[in-house]
Amino acid sequence: MEAFETFNNNQKITINITDVETIGKQVGPTVFALKKKNDDSDFEVLSNDSNTATFTKEQAEQRAILAAKFIFIVDINQEPNLEKVKERTLIRYSVYDQDNRKTYYSTLVDFENEYNNVSAEQFTVEKNIEIVLNKDHKSIHREFIKSLNQ
């Protein structure tokens, strides 16, 4: 699983789907969620605003896995070629806050485990990214100096 490392401060984290290339058809909007690391049944669905979702770092402390899920369908003429449609599906993601920005990809060649068949004409792509919140020593130091000055 890939990771997004940033500082644990009061900024928000945003995921943006920058590009979806496919010869299939995406069914419905992308679903964004935060999940617990060891419990897939404990999750919080995030609101999707034009293929973008934003969440707080407090939410990421509780549920550290950011998931983006897509459902694709192929038409009857493409059905025998479901694997070819999956091979030609590429998704680009951008995850960022004020301090960091990182781009992620989903391709069948590099991330085969993210692509799952639902039926003969449907498949899903689910990207999971672990949110790693490091200590922000500058902010901690600023707070300490403020407390000394009071």
Side-chain angles (χ1 to χ4, degrees), residues 28-143:
T30 306
V31 177
F32 298 106
L34 288 172
K35 304 188 301 189
K36 285 233 176 178
K37 198 170 191 172
N38 298 321
D39 184 4
D40 282 347
S41 65
D42 186 353
F43 63 90
E44 174 185 355
V45 175
L46 302 171
S47 65
N48 178 345
D49 182 26
S50 301
N51 271 342
T52 301
T54 302
F55 55 95
T56 65
K57 293 185 179 175
E58 289 81 20
Q59 288 173 288
E61 283 180 21
Q62 301 296 317
R63 294 178 178 92
I65 306 300
L66 172 61
K69 188 168 189 173
F70 303 79
I71 300 173
F72 295 98
I73 193 165
V74 296
D75 69 30
I76 193 105
N77 298 324
Q78 295 172 312
E79 203 171 305
N81 297 314
L82 182 64
E83 288 305 309
K84 291 233 180 272
V85 174
K86 288 166 58 175
E87 286 172 9
R88 294 181 63 187
T89 298
L90 168 69
I91 304 169
R92 290 182 190 89
Y93 314 80
S94 181
V95 179
Y96 58 91
D97 65 3
Q98 187 174 329
D99 298 316
N100 295 311
R101 174 179 290 272
K102 190 167 179 187
T103 301
Y104 301 89
Y105 299 90
S106 286
T107 64
L108 185 64
V109 174
D110 297 323
F111 300 101
E112 186 175 352
N113 63 325
E114 295 176 0
Y115 287 68
N116 297 300
N117 290 347
V118 176
S119 67
E121 67 278 340
Q122 217 174 42
F123 68 96
T124 64
V125 178
E126 183 173 349
K127 181 66 143 187
N128 290 310
I129 301 167
E130 182 176 2
I131 305 298
V132 178
L133 299 175
N134 297 317
K135 290 196 170 157
D136 183 358
H137 295 291
K138 286 182 182 178
S139 293
I140 294 170
H141 185 71
R142 276 190 217 110
E143 291 300 318

